[in-house]
Amino acid sequence: METDRKIKFLTTELVQKIIQSNDDLKEYQLAKENGVSLTTPQGLDGFMSIIHRLRLNLQHTDTGMSKTVTVMVKVMKGDDDFRKKSLGLVLFPNEINVYGCVIPAFEQLVRNSGAQLDFKTLCPRIFLAEAGVRYPAYSDQEETFLVMEDVSASGFIPGPRLNLDQAHLRLMARKIAQFHACSYALRIGGQSDRLRALVERIIPLNFIQDGKIFFESYDVVFKVVFERLFKYLEGKPELLGSDFVRDRIRKLKQRYGTTPSELMQRCLSRDETYSVILHGDYNRNNVLFRYENEVPNDVMLIDFQENRYGSPALDLSFFMYMNMPPEAWENGAWEQLLTLYHEELMRCICELLKLPPNHSSLEPYRFEKMKQHLQQHFIYGAIIAIKFLPCMLSSEAEVAEIVHHFHTDVTADAFRQIYLVAGGQVVNDRISKVIVHAAEQGYLDLLDN
């Protein structure tokens, strides 16, 4: 059985590789009884990956001292055709690169600067990270194995499923600002070559490449959700409010209604002032929170599969549109969260480089100039959010049907039909509010260029 083959590999050969790849484990061996156990927790897997939990009971080869290590093992789903269509062969190696190269470089930057920044909870400890490897004992395909610390023992757990309150939002804004600050510190601090070397390791994750659709699965979903959005707004013209918003929505439909990937590719434009190494898929699903008396006090980043190099707006806009419910945008709260992000970003850059806040090298990153830059890219997060919201706001049965068709054939009409109606009015209301808000904020003004 294929399943038995994989389980045997995960509990034998992979375990030995984990032990031999970590200096603090090399002098240990599996306990003779109950040395290893494998479980597959429900709800942790995604469209393209499955996550197992390995519990290793170890004994020191000399002293006999016992030690228990619990890790999460992330592997790709699907056959070669599915992995190619879903870009798993780009996403997983990029994630390995972040854990193996980018984050260690950022941690070194913090150490060398003597900055009082705590990166211990930036992401889980990585025990093993391999991409493009072949293990005949596991499968006949090229595989990627990511073995990371099970941080639930340290209190890090998933937060609310979608909508976050101010305490959660503020933690996430600060944490991504700390991550972005490292790219800026390398550039401003005269280490542009080092930043460039890190960026060159990132496999481009484009929406359009060489004139063709590159991210095929996303393109399909973009088109379906645009079809749904524009049809709904045509029947509810009163939702557009002003002539200004109506004009922006009209231009969006006219220019990109059937070619949404062209707009998304436009958002990926880079520059040598504002571009940073991104998380790439920054939202509640890809972080873990730690709580004290039911109040969140820290957040950890995971799942860097869509890692890119580009505007910080890509991370910030998706996070805000995906996890900040419409009622939380009011009374200045949207601007307040942007301000909080910017304040933490500047604080970290100054700390890393030992610069006073009024230093001339920070001029391009003052709040108003930063806002002008962000505004040119913020539509990105709005579009990504409306792509995912039908799935996030649907019933379990609808989600199961969406996942089935996504895995079977995302281009089939059956997928289109379920995605046009999943979640009903709740989804229609949310995605229309996202786009109207984006227009009101000026995030669609780029359509004039």
Side-chain angles (χ1 to χ4, degrees):
M1 293 285 291
E2 185 70 13
T3 301
D4 294 338
R5 173 189 184 185
K6 292 185 174 182
I7 290 175
K8 182 178 180 180
F9 172 84
L10 294 171
T11 55
T12 55
E13 192 171 336
L14 184 67
V15 168
Q16 291 306 316
K17 195 163 186 65
I18 294 169
I19 293 172
Q20 293 304 313
S21 299
N22 292 272
D23 290 340
D24 59 338
L25 300 182
K26 285 182 178 179
E27 295 181 352
Y28 285 82
Q29 61 185 8
L30 287 174
K32 293 182 179 179
E33 293 186 10
N34 302 317
V36 58
S37 62
L38 174 72
T39 56
T40 306
Q42 296 298 309
L44 294 184
D45 62 330
F47 281 133
M48 294 179 289
S49 64
I50 186 166
I51 300 178
H52 306 285
R53 178 181 282 119
L54 269 178
R55 182 181 176 88
L56 310 180
N57 293 315
L58 306 174
Q59 284 188 326
H60 197 279
T61 53
D62 292 332
T63 66
M65 183 182 298
S66 297
K67 183 183 217 177
T68 299
V69 176
T70 306
V71 298
M72 312 304 289
V73 182
K74 184 176 183 178
V75 295
M76 281 190 280
K77 284 181 179 177
D79 58 20
D80 287 338
D81 184 59
F82 171 75
R83 293 177 181 184
K84 182 178 179 181
K85 287 182 178 178
S86 63
L87 294 187
L89 301 180
V90 174
L91 301 175
F92 281 80
N94 272 349
E95 182 171 36
I96 296 296
N97 176 58
V98 171
Y99 285 119
C101 297
V102 174
I103 290 176
F106 286 179
E107 289 173 338
Q108 185 179 27
L109 172 68
V110 173
R111 288 194 302 270
N112 291 348
S113 69
Q116 298 300 306
L117 296 180
D118 185 4
F119 267 29
K120 293 178 182 177
T121 61
L122 179 66
C123 70
R125 173 186 171 180
I126 302 302
F127 286 84
L128 181 69
E130 293 186 317
V133 293
R134 286 189 178 272
Y135 288 106
Y138 181 80
S139 75
D140 301 322
Q141 302 170 264
E142 280 194 357
E143 300 289 352
T144 296
F145 292 97
L146 181 62
V147 181
M148 67 188 83
E149 174 189 8
D150 177 7
V151 294
S152 62
S154 302
F156 284 95
I157 59 174
R161 185 170 185 270
L162 178 62
N163 296 330
L164 301 180
D165 61 20
Q166 283 296 312
H168 290 86
L169 291 168
R170 291 170 70 86
L171 278 175
M172 285 190 67
R174 285 197 178 99
K175 186 71 81 170
I176 200 62
Q178 294 166 13
F179 186 69
H180 292 167
C182 292
S183 293
Y184 288 131
L186 288 174
R187 178 181 294 122
I188 299 168
Q191 298 188 61
S192 293
D193 289 346
R194 190 172 188 193
L195 176 61
R196 191 175 300 111
L198 292 173
V199 172
E200 287 175 352
R201 295 180 63 95
I202 302 171
I203 304 171
L205 185 58
N206 293 311
F207 294 98
I208 295 178
Q209 188 163 303
D210 301 325
K212 299 178 181 179
I213 299 297
F214 185 63
F215 215 149
E216 294 180 16
S217 60
Y218 269 43
D219 185 67
V220 170
V221 186
F222 287 146
K223 288 177 178 176
V224 175
V225 82
F226 265 28
E227 179 184 351
R228 178 174 184 166
L229 171 70
F230 294 129
K231 182 178 180 181
Y232 181 69
L233 289 176
E234 284 173 6
K236 299 277 187 178
E238 67 276 10
L239 297 178
L240 301 180
S242 67
D243 290 340
F244 173 81
V245 170
R246 188 172 293 106
D247 176 68
R248 289 296 180 265
I249 300 297
R250 178 186 61 79
K251 285 185 177 179
L252 177 63
K253 180 181 179 182
Q254 186 178 62
R255 291 191 61 178
Y256 297 110
T258 58
T259 57
S261 288
E262 291 183 7
L263 173 60
M264 302 310 289
Q265 184 63 33
R266 185 174 174 181
C267 291
L268 299 186
S269 63
R270 302 175 174 184
D271 64 66
E272 293 307 312
T273 301
Y274 294 105
S275 292
V276 297
I277 294 177
L278 301 162
H279 178 284
D281 193 15
Y282 195 59
N283 75 104
R284 201 298 293 160
N285 288 346
N286 295 328
V287 300
L288 299 170
F289 293 97
R290 185 164 61 190
Y291 295 83
E292 184 175 350
N293 298 324
E294 299 184 357
V295 177
N297 63 9
D298 202 358
V299 61
M300 178 178 287
L301 311 186
I302 57 173
D303 290 348
F304 289 85
Q305 290 183 4
E306 294 193 29
N307 165 250
R308 288 184 172 95
Y309 177 70
S311 169
L314 274 59
D315 278 343
L316 198 57
S317 63
F318 179 40
F319 147 61
M320 291 177 69
Y321 273 121
M322 190 70 177
N323 299 134
M324 197 174 183
E327 58 270 20
W329 303 340
E330 302 172 357
N331 302 319
W334 186 266
E335 183 88 353
Q336 290 168 16
L337 198 61
L338 288 174
T339 301
L340 177 71
Y341 164 84
H342 181 260
E343 289 175 348
E344 182 68 4
L345 180 75
M346 296 297 280
R347 183 190 75 80
C348 292
I349 295 172
C350 290
E351 178 72 18
L352 287 166
L353 298 178
K354 298 297 182 282
L355 294 176
N358 61 352
H359 196 274
S360 60
S361 64
L362 301 177
E363 239 0 85
Y365 308 103
R366 305 298 177 199
F367 186 60
E368 288 305 318
K369 290 183 179 179
M370 197 77 178
K371 268 186 64 177
Q372 290 176 15
H373 165 77
L374 296 175
Q375 188 169 356
Q376 298 171 33
H377 299 263
F378 236 69
I379 188 58
Y380 176 90
I383 304 302
I384 296 290
I386 67 170
K387 168 189 176 292
F388 282 112
L389 284 168
C391 194
M392 296 298 296
L393 293 171
S394 298
S395 67
E396 289 187 13
E398 288 172 320
V399 172
E401 186 174 351
I402 290 168
V403 172
H404 169 73
H405 292 304
F406 186 90
H407 281 150
T408 305
D409 184 2
V410 71
T411 64
D413 192 57
F415 177 84
R416 172 179 168 272
Q417 292 297 335
I418 182 62
Y419 224 69
L420 284 173
V421 299
Q425 180 59 31
V426 172
V427 169
N428 292 336
D429 180 65
R430 181 73 170 257
I431 65 175
S432 61
K433 285 181 177 177
V434 166
I435 294 301
V436 169
H437 180 267
E440 293 172 340
Q441 293 294 312
Y443 302 152
L444 287 176
D445 289 1
L446 82 168
L447 299 176
D448 290 333
N449 300 325

